[in-house]
Amino acid sequence: MTFLSNRINNLSESQTIKMAKLGRELSAKGIDVINLSFGEPDFFTPEYVKEAAKKSIDENYSYYTPVSGYPDLRKVITEKLLKENGLTYNFDQIVVSTGAKQSLANAVLCLINPGDEVIVPTPYWVSYSEMIKLAEGETVFINATVENDFKITAAQLEAAITPKTKLFMFSSPCNPTGSVYSKTELAALAAVFEKYPEIYIISDEIYEHINFVGEHTSIASFDAIKDRVILINGFSKSYAMTGWRVGYMASNKKLADACDKLQGQITSGTSSIAQRAALAAYQGTLDSVKEMVAEFKKRRDVVYALLSAIPGVKVNLPDGAFYFFPEVKSYFGKSSGSYTINNAEDLCLYILNEAHVSTVTGEAFGNEDCIRISYAAAEDKLRDAVSRIAGALAKLS
Ligand code: PMP
Ligand code: GLU
């Protein structure tokens, strides 16, 4: 009998978290590391949100909360979904969780039986495949490439569907590619789902506001499939609240009840104080979000120009989120000193050790030819980081 369960033995460590940890370890040794591996805004949580949290402590918001979140928070979420997304939900269709990560895991665990197929376009966010593994589902990948702005077509989707398909899971704006599906592109995918009423769709919209095209469409806005869409969102990115741990799911009532039951056995409701802060965030204006997005857009343009100028690096112009996902395979097979680069992971470790910049291997996102670079850092740091990366790559021959 093994000490640890097969469940945990088969699970991969989160590469985003691993690379951030390696970067921190080098920093602790006094090395000047620029961390571009972790996807979190480098902004502070808005003042009015922090004030609401402080007030809630004084008002003794210290008790267990309802498992799915305070009713007033759930109601404000429904108001946001109506106002910003044109989507109607009742408050009892909202489950607030300890981050969007838990909302995603809840939905996967509540929907997937062993052997059920889950279609995931690659590149995908690192934890999707592992959540599916935990639920003993089978992941069916659809490859999207840099040539197609990392987006899949309706024809690719339909070709991947089998009688075992239970779920489709994607993010738009996408982590790690920054690609944003337009309304027309989503309509084409929705038209396919309309033909297959057994398939559910997880739409991860956590980067909704970090969008440079100025328009976000949720696939839940297509009425014919809305009841089968599980919309995931949260406060980590839009309100720079990664550490507060508040995310949510909006879905049909049956799945919301199932997630409430699961959460009730595993974590209960998320932090009372974080929920009061989240409520204040949604009651405020989008001003802080807009300021942050304008800054991200400036940085995106700077980094795009710098990355595009590096020989052998192929890059798309991301429309949202705060990542670049450059194709770097032209460096595979090259070496410098004791380093030989066989794959993207070797390249990330080389860049970390040689240039002191932490990035994440594309393998973690289902694409072996790329690496992920987060640009959630100050512009001078980004310029320095890309110049260091370019220098390290130039040494490879
Ligand atoms: N989905 C995507 C696409 C993400 O990048 C992240 C990372 N923050 C999450 C979900 C999880 O977010 P949270 O911090 O709310 O758990
Ligand atoms: N979502 C962020 C990322 O992709 C944070 C890390 C994580 O939650 O895995 O880097």
Side-chain angles (χ1 to χ4, degrees), residues 14 16-17 37-39 101 125 175 207 237 323 372:
S14 165
T16 49
I17 291 174
S37 58
F38 216 34
K101 201 179 244 182
W125 181 49
N175 179 359
Y207 294 97
K237 314 290 165 165
Y323 308 101
R372 191 189 77 172

